[in-house]
Amino acid sequence: MEFNVEINHLSKTIGKKKIIKDLSLNIKKGEVFGLLGPNGAGKTTTIRMIVGLIGITTGSVKICGHDVQTNHKEALENVGAIVENPEMYPFLSGLENLKYFSRMDSNSSTEKINELIEFVNLKSKINDKVKTYSLGMRQRLGIAQSLLNNPKVLILDEPTNGLDPAGIKELRQYVQTLAHEKGVTVIVSSHLLSEIELMCDRVAIIKEGELIATENLKEKNEDKLKHYQIRVSPSDKAQELLFKEYQLTSEFIEGLLEFQLPVSNLDIPEIVRLFVENNLAIYSIEPKENSLEDRFMNLTMK
């Protein structure tokens, strides 16, 4: 398996405060990887160490096999990044901005610029001044600018800030195309957990500088519990029957009876039959997804 980013026992101490504590992560080629955590968890500090903006106290970061500390130039040649809102020259056109930034990389070409303009769907506006661009258009131009050097790793720190739903959806599509079709490793830090759940393949959750969980969002775990909500009357009798017949504990939440079943042993038809045989009225029954936001809150609020 090919890892484009290898983080090993990474730590950062500022003064007497340890900001990052023994963080280790391997991020695969062509993967969209989410970096999550409450404010002050250390996400931005971790990103700054990955791209060499601040020093590493102990541990190491390797990008495409190159150590950020000992082979800084070789490592960063493989990286593109957008930190919050991309900075552009507002009185230049989108094309002029891309041409200006392309001078920093000898491998950039007119053909490459045109390809990126097409990719981010800015062809009709590329000759307009950037000051006339919407925030979503600026983000798209920022993605084009960050890809001028053909990076193998793209880092996006809070890329959805200020975007409307259409802009967020567009950004998600670009990110997934880059990763899954072009093989770019994309690291995304964001507070929008619902969007991270749609965008990412895996996530790491950091709290107070420590890695507390990693989760594969695309992998279906056959042994996990599935939540169900049922609207039934009388609900207290339904609760008694669930416990008596199946030893299932349940609770009332906003007028609904909630319980859990193992995915590998779904007994919903039997439960419905049990309720009907005992003269209970069933109005609705449906699965309730345990969202990334729910899991994030459970892990970080402890």
Side-chain angles (χ1 to χ4, degrees):
M1 187 176 294
E2 186 175 350
F3 295 108
N4 275 357
V5 179
E6 299 169 84
I7 301 172
N8 294 303
H9 303 291
L10 189 67
S11 296
K12 178 65 180 177
T13 302
I14 299 177
K16 294 184 178 180
K17 187 175 181 182
K18 205 162 190 178
I19 309 297
I20 303 297
K21 307 166 187 175
D22 197 36
L23 180 67
S24 293
L25 287 169
N26 288 324
I27 305 172
K28 293 178 282 189
K29 176 183 178 180
E31 178 175 41
V32 185
F33 191 89
L35 201 57
L36 306 178
N39 287 334
K43 302 187 299 297
T44 299
T45 300
T46 299
I47 286 172
R48 287 176 179 272
M49 284 193 284
I50 291 173
V51 299
L53 288 176
I54 58 173
I56 294 169
T57 303
T58 59
S60 67
V61 176
K62 288 183 179 180
I63 298 173
C64 300
H66 301 289
D67 191 291
V68 169
Q69 292 173 287
T70 59
N71 296 305
H72 187 80
K73 181 176 180 292
E74 292 85 348
L76 294 190
E77 281 177 348
N78 293 291
V79 177
I82 301 176
V83 180
E84 294 190 354
N85 299 328
E87 292 297 325
M88 298 288 170
Y89 293 100
F91 292 99
L92 296 180
S93 70
L95 181 59
E96 288 168 335
N97 268 278
L98 291 180
K99 285 181 175 179
Y100 176 80
F101 287 113
S102 72
R103 294 174 192 153
M104 301 178 188
D105 188 344
S106 58
N107 294 321
S108 291
S109 64
T110 301
E111 184 181 356
K112 177 65 178 177
I113 291 171
N114 291 335
E115 178 188 319
L116 289 171
I117 292 167
E118 195 78 37
F119 176 68
V120 298
N121 195 25
L122 274 177
K123 195 170 182 180
S124 64
K125 299 289 185 180
I126 200 63
N127 291 308
D128 294 353
K129 286 185 168 52
V130 168
K131 68 177 182 178
T132 68
Y133 282 16
S134 66
L135 187 53
M137 290 167 64
R138 291 188 189 203
Q139 286 284 33
R140 282 189 271 157
L141 186 64
I143 289 176
Q145 183 265 318
S146 68
L147 296 174
L148 283 167
N149 64 331
N150 293 309
K152 294 179 181 177
V153 177
L154 177 63
I155 298 174
L156 306 175
D157 188 18
E158 298 292 346
T160 55
N161 275 1
L163 293 184
D164 61 15
I168 291 172
K169 184 178 180 181
E170 272 188 350
L171 179 69
R172 184 203 317 150
Q173 291 169 339
Y174 294 133
V175 164
Q176 291 180 331
T177 298
L178 282 169
H180 302 154
E181 296 182 19
K182 298 181 181 293
V184 177
T185 297
V186 185
I187 301 173
V188 183
S189 169
S190 178
H191 287 92
L192 293 181
L193 298 183
S194 58
E195 184 53 39
I196 284 287
E197 191 163 23
L198 291 172
M199 186 186 297
C200 295
D201 301 308
R202 282 196 303 148
V203 296
I205 299 174
I206 299 173
K207 180 182 178 183
E208 296 175 356
E210 291 186 86
L211 177 67
I212 58 173
T214 58
E215 187 166 341
N216 190 331
L217 301 181
K218 304 303 179 186
E219 185 179 78
K220 293 184 178 179
N221 183 350
E222 296 301 327
D223 297 322
K224 70 181 180 182
L225 294 174
K226 191 155 190 175
H227 293 242
Y228 284 88
Q229 293 178 321
I230 186 166
R231 194 178 299 279
V232 60
S233 180
S235 52
D236 55 347
K237 187 175 180 181
Q239 191 172 35
E240 290 174 14
L241 285 168
L242 283 173
F243 186 77
K244 180 181 177 182
E245 298 295 329
Y246 295 97
Q247 289 73 56
L248 292 174
T249 57
S250 55
E251 58 181 333
F252 295 108
I253 299 178
E254 297 179 356
L256 294 169
L257 194 62
E258 293 197 3
F259 59 94
Q260 296 177 336
L261 285 174
V263 170
S264 58
N265 185 29
L266 295 179
D267 290 316
I268 293 300
E270 287 78 7
I271 289 172
V272 171
R273 190 178 300 114
L274 175 68
F275 287 170
V276 171
E277 288 173 353
N278 284 272
N279 299 316
L280 274 66
I282 303 170
Y283 300 98
S284 67
I285 184 167
E286 58 186 24
K288 178 192 176 186
E289 296 298 330
N290 186 14
S291 68
L292 176 62
E293 184 176 18
D294 294 332
R295 300 190 294 276
F296 177 84
M297 295 302 293
N298 288 336
L299 287 166
T300 58
M301 296 303 288
K302 291 178 182 177

